[in-house]
Amino acid sequence: MRIAEDRVIEGPGGDLAVRVYVPERDAKAPLPVVVFAHGGGFVFCDLDSHDEFCRSMAEAVGVAVVSVDYRRAPEHPGPAAMEDMYAALSWAAAHAAEFGGDPGRLAVAGDSAGGNLAATVSLAARDRGGPRIAAQILLYPVIDDDFTTESYRLYGEGYYNTTKAMRWYWQQYAPHGTDNPYLVPSRADSLAGLPAAVVATAELDPPCSAGEDYARRLAEAGVPVTAHRFDGLFHGFLTFPSLSLTGPAREVLWQLMRDVLEVS
């Protein structure tokens, strides 16, 4: 890794910490920049919990990564976390060249709750005329709070992530309801004009159905979408590097990211 350093930028709630990763590379061309939101139910996890994943992504895909230490619930209910992501996206657009990044190839990504934030910040950037996003990479994203879907019915208990836990996360993050599309992206009036999407879901994950439905709705709105379901796997598996199935699954994901970001 050529660069792995913490920086503090200006956020809507005060100082906002980010961690910038830039891999070693032979070519001098600027790298795509991925602004990344970690998972953790909007409540848990931080830069350190996802450090290994971000390092692996930067090196394997050939991108610079800006990991965001967004404000968490319940002290900071949504959409505070999305607003922090928006601030980090804007900062990356303005400062990418300083660390060898290409401001013309900005992407957003996140796992679980971070997938929600990548989706909602894509909506905000579209609606506000903000930085142009080349791709949104949604990893088993928590799209909505509908607990009646097929995957919730089939896998709501006994598969690591549970319906009970998801209910609690939403209560912390959105105590006043989820009508706002910057909390639940599927509430948006239109999904047209959003960035190209990679939507990766896990078969044994309660939010799987909602993620796949969001991918379908994006495609119906004219958004280029690559959807991939990891069969036989559960929520969060991408950040368990010791799991035997994680390495091969990551290789699939890295290639999907290289394809959408046009990284050779």
Side-chain angles (χ1 to χ4, degrees):
M1 193 66 61
R2 185 168 70 85
I3 297 173
E5 64 182 31
D6 291 344
R7 299 194 183 189
V8 177
I9 67 174
E10 184 176 347
D15 288 348
L16 176 61
V18 299
R19 185 169 294 168
V20 179
Y21 304 86
V22 182
E24 296 284 358
R25 67 192 194 280
D26 296 328
K28 299 301 181 184
L31 297 174
V33 179
V34 176
V35 181
F36 180 81
H38 65 78
F42 308 105
V43 176
F44 302 118
C45 299
D46 55 21
L47 298 179
D48 292 335
S49 66
H50 285 62
D51 181 79
E52 184 276 335
F53 185 69
C54 289
R55 287 173 184 269
S56 296
M57 179 194 305
E59 291 177 339
V61 181
V63 294
V65 176
V66 177
S67 184
V68 185
D69 192 24
Y70 57 82
R71 289 171 291 170
R72 288 174 288 281
E75 293 82 2
H76 303 284
M82 188 283 292
E83 296 293 354
D84 285 354
M85 271 292 284
Y86 191 87
L89 175 69
S90 299
W91 177 86
H95 296 272
E98 296 174 11
F99 50 85
D102 182 355
R105 284 194 292 170
L106 284 175
V108 292
D111 65 317
S112 186
N116 172 290
L117 300 178
T120 53
V121 81
S122 296
L123 283 169
R126 180 199 67 180
D127 297 346
R128 299 171 182 177
R132 181 185 174 277
I133 300 172
Q136 51 179 323
I137 295 125
L138 315 181
L139 310 178
Y140 31 79
V142 175
I143 292 296
D144 62 31
D145 58 345
D146 181 355
F147 306 112
T148 67
T149 64
E150 181 182 29
S151 56
Y152 268 102
R153 292 197 304 270
L154 293 176
Y155 307 116
E157 290 184 32
Y159 295 90
Y160 182 65
N161 189 25
T162 66
T163 302
K164 181 179 179 181
M166 291 304 308
R167 287 185 185 276
W168 185 82
Y169 293 141
W170 276 110
Q171 288 165 1
Q172 308 312 304
Y173 185 60
H176 306 299
T178 55
D179 291 338
N180 187 341
Y182 296 157
L183 297 175
V184 172
S186 55
R187 301 269 197 273
D189 291 337
S190 171
L191 301 181
L194 289 172
V198 171
V199 183
T201 54
E203 179 190 11
L204 307 180
D205 181 20
C208 179
S209 295
E212 293 180 346
D213 182 65
Y214 193 64
R216 284 191 293 271
R217 289 191 55 200
L218 286 168
E220 289 168 0
V223 176
V225 177
T226 301
H228 183 88
R229 180 197 291 179
F230 288 97
D231 290 332
L233 284 164
F234 54 90
H235 192 84
F237 75 91
L238 286 167
T239 51
F240 296 169
S242 60
L243 185 69
S244 63
L245 297 176
T246 296
R250 282 186 179 186
E251 290 304 320
V252 172
L253 173 63
W254 303 150
Q255 187 59 53
L256 294 175
M257 292 181 66
R258 285 191 288 265
D259 289 346
V260 76
L261 293 171
E262 299 180 348
V263 178
S264 58

